[in-house]
């Protein structure tokens, strides 16, 4: 198993990626594809955070806008109105927590980072807001660049690639150079499972995930309860935990450094077993 070792600097907190870490999902929206991941009120956010942290999450990823296929953009102002109270509350109750903000708006990223968040998670890798990369560089926080073909409202209508692995790799070679030029020190790569990709595209990327180590960046994998699992199995997001565990295991075997998940306990068990297997 190959993985980029070392740490990322989360506003003065060094997060060690030598062993894979877990990013627990908290969606502050009523439009998430998985109902079990929704937390609309501050008490629900705190409750979800407490469970995630108790079960082993090192990062909490907070989003306030659904990015499921066909989702409508609620806009930066609504997103910020949802996110700021949540960030401020989490920082108050869990001052040591590492918070990731799931946004493609530079203005939202900047204000939530100033409120206490420490990582920017951008599904568009700066392609939907021309100010994002410069903002991330100015803030000096880790930046998760995800690949997405199209935009959430249309990305699943007819995704096409010449060679999905090569096309996504070429995209990231260019994107990493842009990030470094913008002054971003810690670039994290997310292949974007489910974002402008068919089921076969997703599994081709997962099968060749180790190819992306040539970028010399930590790899984040976000496949939790996604349609690449439940559509293949003729199931539902609610019944996709077992499939998620299988795919997280495959991702870890290819050197994934961060697992973004709804179900932290299951992911922690996968990491513990997978890491133990490396030492036997």
């Amino acid at each position: 198993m190959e993985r980029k070792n070392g740490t990322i600097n989360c506003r003065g907190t060094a997060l060690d990626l030598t062993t894979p870490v877990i990013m627990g999902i908290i969606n502050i929206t009523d439009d998430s594809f998985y109902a079990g991941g929704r937390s609309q009120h501050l008490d629900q956010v705190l409750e979800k955070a407490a469970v995630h942290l108790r079960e082993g999450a090192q990062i909490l990823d907070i989003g306030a806008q659904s990015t499921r296929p066909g989702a409508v953009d609620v806009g930066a102002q609504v997103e910020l109105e949802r996110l700021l109270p949540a960030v401020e509350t989490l920082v108050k109750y869990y001052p040591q927590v590492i918070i990731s903000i799931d946004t493609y708006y530079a203005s939202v990223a900047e204000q939530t980072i100033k409120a206490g968040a420490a990582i920017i998670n951008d599904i568009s890798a700066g392609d939907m807001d021309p100010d994002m990369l410069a903002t991330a560089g100015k803030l000096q926080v880790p930046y998760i660049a995800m690949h997405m073909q199209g935009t959430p409202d249309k990305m699943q209508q007819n995704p096409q690639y010449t060679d999905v692995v090569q096309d996504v790799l070429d995209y990231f070679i260019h994107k990493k150079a842009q990030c470094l030029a913008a002054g971003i020190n810690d670039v994290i790569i997310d292949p974007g499972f489910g974002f402008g990709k068919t089921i076969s595209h997703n599994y081709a990327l997962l099968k060749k995930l180790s190819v992306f180590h040539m970028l010399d960046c930590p790899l984040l994998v976000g496949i939790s309860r996604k349609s690449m699992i439940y559509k293949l199995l003729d199931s539902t997001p609610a019944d996709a935990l077992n499939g998620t565990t299988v795919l997280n295991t495959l991702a870890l075997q290819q050197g994934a450094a961060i697992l973004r998940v709804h179900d932290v306990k299951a992911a922690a068990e996968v990491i513990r077993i997978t890491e133990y297997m490396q030492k036997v």
Side-chain angles (χ1 to χ4, degrees):
M1 175 170 57
E2 182 183 1
R3 185 185 306 118
K4 178 181 170 63
N5 295 329
T7 61
I8 55 174
N9 182 3
C10 303
R11 297 188 68 191
T13 297
L15 181 60
D16 183 10
L17 298 181
T18 304
T19 299
V21 302
I22 299 170
M23 172 184 281
I25 299 169
I26 300 179
N27 287 318
I28 311 174
T29 172
D30 59 358
D31 195 29
S32 170
F33 77 93
Y34 172 51
R38 301 171 190 161
S39 302
Q40 291 181 260
H41 305 292
L42 287 179
D43 57 342
Q44 293 175 313
V45 171
L46 277 174
E47 182 180 357
K48 179 77 74 173
V51 172
H52 280 345
L53 294 171
R54 183 171 66 247
E55 293 182 346
Q58 291 90 344
I59 307 168
L60 299 179
D61 188 54
I62 307 177
Q65 178 160 237
S66 175
T67 53
R68 62 172 177 78
V72 177
D73 187 343
V74 301
Q77 187 57 40
V78 170
E79 194 175 90
L80 193 59
E81 289 172 359
R82 294 173 177 176
L83 285 172
L84 271 180
V87 172
E88 291 166 353
T89 300
L90 287 173
V91 169
K92 176 182 177 181
Y93 284 90
Y94 302 104
Q96 303 305 314
V97 70
I98 297 175
I99 299 173
S100 166
I101 294 297
D102 184 355
T103 185
Y104 45 77
Y105 288 113
S107 60
V108 173
E110 182 162 15
Q111 292 190 61
T112 51
I113 293 294
K114 289 180 178 178
I119 299 173
I120 299 170
N121 182 12
D122 180 1
I123 64 167
S124 80
D127 291 341
M128 293 180 71
D129 187 334
D131 296 327
M132 178 59 94
L133 298 187
T135 298
K138 176 181 68 175
L139 294 170
Q140 287 293 289
V141 293
Y143 180 72
I144 301 167
M146 194 195 81
H147 176 273
M148 173 174 59
Q149 187 180 93
T151 54
D153 59 331
K154 298 178 181 179
M155 64 186 180
Q156 291 302 105
Q157 289 183 4
N158 187 29
Q160 295 185 17
Y161 298 86
T162 302
D163 179 325
V164 66
V165 176
Q166 188 63 55
D167 290 355
V168 174
L169 179 61
D170 288 345
Y171 173 85
F172 278 128
I173 290 172
H174 175 67
K175 184 59 63 176
K176 180 185 176 183
Q178 286 185 321
C179 289
L180 295 177
I184 301 171
N185 295 322
D186 292 315
V187 182
I188 299 163
I189 298 300
D190 178 353
F193 293 102
F195 284 81
K197 299 168 183 76
T198 64
I199 290 178
S200 62
H201 290 147
N202 287 318
Y203 281 95
L205 282 170
L206 183 60
K207 187 175 182 178
K208 297 291 183 65
L209 187 66
S210 61
V211 168
F212 294 95
H213 290 298
M214 68 171 288
L215 296 164
D216 197 32
C217 295
L219 294 179
L220 181 149
V221 170
I223 51 181
S224 181
R225 296 182 180 269
K226 286 188 174 179
S227 63
M228 65 183 288
I229 301 166
Y230 65 81
K231 286 186 178 179
L232 181 67
L233 301 177
D234 297 320
S235 183
T236 66
D239 295 321
L241 177 56
N242 187 54
T244 298
T245 298
V246 172
L247 297 194
N248 279 336
T249 303
L250 295 174
L252 290 172
Q253 289 173 340
Q254 295 197 69
I258 303 172
L259 297 180
R260 182 180 182 272
V261 300
H262 298 93
D263 308 278
V264 172
K265 183 176 183 292
E269 291 175 352
V270 171
I271 290 174
R272 186 173 177 182
I273 292 171
T274 304
E275 289 294 293
Y276 184 81
M277 285 293 295
Q278 300 303 313
K279 303 171 184 176
V280 175

